[in-house]
Amino acid sequence: MKDPQVQIAEVQHPAENWTPQRTLTWAFETFGSTVAISSAFGAEGMVLIDMASRLHKKFRLFTIDTEFLFPETYNLMDRIEAKYGVAIEKVYSMLSPEEQDRTHGPALWTRDPDRCCNLRKVEPLRRKLSELNAWIASIRRDQTSARSAAHRIEWDAKFGLVKVNPIVDWNAKQVWRYIHDHDVPYNQLHNQDYPSIGCTHCTRAVRPGEDPRAGRWPGFAKTECGLHIIEPAPAPAAPASAAKVGS
Ligand code: SF4
């Protein structure tokens, strides 16, 4: 297999015009069993799971189970496994909720949600991604400012592998049109004013006129759990001749 960063340099520009289906096909053909869809089973993730099932009978799907998810989310996982015949790979924190309470004090999410997300989401994700060459995410550029610069295919410098974002240029209307047109299952909390769904401790319904992500980490400036932060790739090493200049 070619160096992944070379592969990205070749496809990143043309891929901006690819459909989500073509993007998924490229990812499956290029990375085989070393690519997986990452999902928390929001509406966007359900679109990708449904598309993948139509393109590729066997695909890998994993989720970070913080052990603080809504019953509706666990119910949706069961429905996904039954409908699509996929075994969801569940990844957990090294600490159980009880161990976290003992080590970091009770209700860490009320005092230091960044540390809680690191323990329950970022570290487990890093562990999972270390066994892959590429991951597929369902982020959209219009969701948060941190996501606005995302490419359809990019090098994820934070975790050191290729990241594929097939619906990066979609909007919420396109997502819901796909769901209704293809009879895709979705989290029932979406019908109760929860446009974005995470842990029970850090998610509430949004009020009319609020931003769709206003229900995440209410009371904190936090808008991301740390999974989709874009870090600049390290600058290429200077050629030996250039390095001598000014030394
Ligand atoms: S969303 Fe809240 S409860 Fe879940 S891991 Fe982050 S801080 Fe902890």
Side-chain angles (χ1 to χ4, degrees), residues 58-126:
K58 277 181 80 71
F59 61 96
R60 289 181 67 182
L61 171 62
F62 75 87
T63 193
I64 308 299
D65 184 351
T66 62
E67 301 178 81
F68 294 142
L69 304 180
F70 285 90
E72 289 85 349
T73 306
Y74 290 113
N75 172 273
L76 179 58
M77 288 191 215
D78 292 341
R79 289 190 285 145
I80 290 166
E81 292 192 324
K83 179 175 170 90
Y84 297 109
V86 59
I88 300 170
E89 301 170 34
K90 294 173 184 143
V91 193
Y92 297 94
S93 171
M94 300 294 277
L95 297 177
S96 69
E98 296 74 26
E99 288 168 334
Q100 178 171 306
D101 280 359
R102 280 200 295 277
T103 314
H104 298 278
L108 181 60
W109 53 90
T110 62
R111 293 173 286 111
D112 192 347
D114 282 344
R115 194 189 312 179
C116 186
C117 275
N118 266 320
L119 290 166
R120 310 213 72 77
K121 293 184 173 183
V122 180
E123 185 282 327
L125 178 70
R126 189 179 294 283

Side-chain angles (χ1 to χ4, degrees), residues 226-238:
L227 308 187
H228 300 292
I229 303 295
I230 299 171
E231 287 184 0

Side-chain angles (χ1 to χ4, degrees), residues 23-247:
T23 310
L24 282 169
T25 300
W26 175 84
F28 293 140
E29 288 178 353
T30 306
F31 299 105
S33 63
T34 67
V35 63
I37 297 175
S38 164
S39 184
F41 312 112
E44 291 80 7
M46 292 313 306
V47 167
L48 288 190
I49 292 165
D50 189 81
M51 282 179 181
S53 75
R54 292 166 194 270
L55 292 167
H56 205 70
K57 284 235 171 329
K58 277 181 80 71
F59 61 96
R60 289 181 67 182
L61 171 62
F62 75 87
T63 193
I64 308 299
D65 184 351
T66 62
E67 301 178 81
F68 294 142
L69 304 180
F70 285 90
E72 289 85 349
T73 306
Y74 290 113
N75 172 273
L76 179 58
M77 288 191 215
D78 292 341
R79 289 190 285 145
I80 290 166
E81 292 192 324
K83 179 175 170 90
Y84 297 109
V86 59
I88 300 170
E89 301 170 34
K90 294 173 184 143
V91 193
Y92 297 94
S93 171
M94 300 294 277
L95 297 177
S96 69
E98 296 74 26
E99 288 168 334
Q100 178 171 306
D101 280 359
R102 280 200 295 277
T103 314
H104 298 278
L108 181 60
W109 53 90
T110 62
R111 293 173 286 111
D112 192 347
D114 282 344
R115 194 189 312 179
C116 186
C117 275
N118 266 320
L119 290 166
R120 310 213 72 77
K121 293 184 173 183
V122 180
E123 185 282 327
L125 178 70
R126 189 179 294 283
R127 206 175 341 117
K128 186 66 180 174
L129 295 184
S130 71
E131 66 182 63
L132 299 172
N133 288 326
W135 64 308
I136 300 170
S138 55
I139 59 167
R140 301 187 343 243
R141 286 190 192 114
D142 65 0
Q143 286 172 315
T144 67
S145 58
R147 300 178 185 190
S148 62
H151 291 90
R152 203 181 298 280
I153 297 172
E154 59 194 4
W155 178 251
D156 185 338
K158 178 169 180 170
F159 295 111
L161 77 172
V162 175
K163 186 174 184 187
V164 182
N165 303 311
I167 57 168
V168 72
D169 56 346
W170 277 30
N171 57 38
K173 209 169 160 184
Q174 288 170 288
V175 168
W176 282 102
R177 190 182 306 132
Y178 183 97
I179 285 177
H180 293 309
D181 286 353
H182 297 83
D183 197 21
V184 178
Y186 62 87
N187 196 318
Q188 290 306 302
L189 288 173
H190 288 313
N191 293 338
Q192 297 166 44
D193 298 320
Y194 286 80
S196 177
I197 302 163
C199 296
T200 53
H201 302 307
C202 302
T203 311
R204 65 156 171 81
V206 299
R207 293 181 278 270
E210 279 190 321
D211 183 272
R213 286 183 71 87
R216 304 294 298 278
W217 302 284
F220 291 90
K222 184 175 168 68
T223 60
E224 291 276 358
C225 47
L227 308 187
H228 300 292
I229 303 295
I230 299 171
E231 287 184 0
S241 56
K244 283 180 187 150
V245 176
S247 64

